[in-house]
Amino acid sequence: MPQDRPQITMVPTDGGPIQAYICGEGPLVVMLPSMGRGAGDFDRLATDVAAAGYRVACPEPRGLGASAAPDRQETLSTLAADVAAVITEIGDGPAVVVGHAYGNRIARMTATNHPELVESLVLLACGGFIPVTEEMGVAMRTIFDTRNPPEARLDAVARAFFAPGNDPSVWADGWHGSLARHQEQATVNTPVSDWWAGGTAPMLAVQPADDQLAVPANADALVEAVGDRVEVVVIPDAGHALLPEQPEAVAEAVIGWLEHRRAETRV
């Protein structure tokens, strides 16, 4: 995490403790990573957001770091309950919840089930409505199968997660197959209609222009579903990975939203 001596908090939950990395001071922002990946994906964004005057919490998914491994039949509601516990333990009032890719499903489920804890949502690469193509499904399976040669997995990372010409090697590692399987089961166990609208929370959808997994039609469908409750920002030259591809543009969009929401709540 971004600080030399990151604060680490263990948050008690019904399913065992969740480890969260904390940095900065100010209104709480919680960041949830992509499928099968850990909190470290937010190192750069957490640093930038904390420097802008916010307290950032990055929980490790179950089974990573010191977070308890899942020992139950997961749903997006059980994963959202973990996020609610983090907000309650760390925050002072409702939080802005940032979800990257798979994390935005958990973020929207949290806003649906625990509206009093969520001030607003930031959805980085907001998919889940338009099914992925078979080609992208094969790429995902290749990435998470450690029996495949490293070069084949990296090629799949490039095709599925990065815009043409961007360097996928920054995400050569950090893939956790067991975590991804549990998260996929949680998706199967939860109808899209349960979480898609994000409750009643205001939302910012940060849409990568070259996303092959959460294609831009997902953001269009969200606008159609909830209208002006969602604002869409398109990031050029970015694929599903987004965070390592365009860190400055992502930070600008996220911090701009946070400042807008902070001003709104002061009125």
Side-chain angles (χ1 to χ4, degrees), residues 1 3 6-13 17-32 39 54-60 67 81-97 117:
M1 287 301 294
Q3 296 179 327
Q7 178 185 348
I8 300 175
T9 296
M10 299 303 297
V11 177
T13 77
I18 294 292
Q19 180 183 27
Y21 301 95
I22 315 296
C23 62
E25 295 296 335
L28 181 62
V29 181
V30 178
M31 299 184 177
L32 310 176
Y54 295 87
R55 183 169 175 80
V56 181
C58 297
E60 281 287 16
S67 291
D82 292 339
V83 179
V86 170
I87 296 171
T88 301
E89 179 77 12
I90 296 170
D92 180 16
V96 177
V97 183
L117 297 178

Side-chain angles (χ1 to χ4, degrees), residues 45-243:
L45 183 60
T47 298
D48 291 340
V49 170
Y54 295 87
R55 183 169 175 80
V56 181
C58 297
E60 281 287 16
R62 289 195 171 276
L64 298 188
S67 291
D71 62 356
R72 59 193 179 185
Q73 186 78 335
E74 297 285 7
T75 67
L76 288 178
S77 286
T78 63
L79 299 179
D82 292 339
V83 179
V86 170
I87 296 171
T88 301
E89 179 77 12
I90 296 170
D92 180 16
V96 177
V97 183
V98 179
H100 176 220
Y102 185 86
N104 85 81
R105 304 182 188 202
I106 304 173
R108 285 189 262 183
M109 193 82 259
T110 304
T112 301
N113 290 354
H114 309 278
E116 74 285 358
L117 297 178
V118 178
E119 191 283 322
S120 63
L121 300 173
V122 177
L123 314 176
L124 307 178
C126 69
F129 187 75
I130 309 297
V132 301
T133 65
E134 177 57 28
E135 178 187 2
M136 289 298 102
V138 170
M140 289 292 288
R141 292 190 290 273
T142 300
I143 291 166
F144 284 109
D145 188 345
T146 56
R147 296 171 298 181
N148 290 317
E151 58 272 19
R153 297 176 69 205
L154 186 59
D155 178 68
V157 171
R159 287 185 286 113
F161 282 85
F162 284 77
N166 291 345
D167 180 14
S169 64
V170 292
W171 269 23
D173 300 314
W175 302 96
H176 303 276
S178 177
L179 170 62
R181 287 189 291 275
H182 282 290
Q183 291 174 328
E184 181 60 29
Q185 190 59 51
T187 298
V188 170
N189 292 338
T190 310
V192 173
S193 59
D194 283 5
W195 57 268
W196 177 254
T200 60
M203 293 182 280
L204 174 69
V206 181
Q207 175 62 51
D210 298 303
D211 200 331
Q212 299 299 307
L213 288 169
V215 295
N218 283 283
D220 296 339
L222 186 57
V223 171
E224 184 176 347
V226 306
D228 60 7
R229 187 157 57 84
V230 61
E231 177 183 329
V232 179
V233 173
V234 177
I235 305 294
D237 192 29
H240 200 60
L242 184 63
L243 289 165

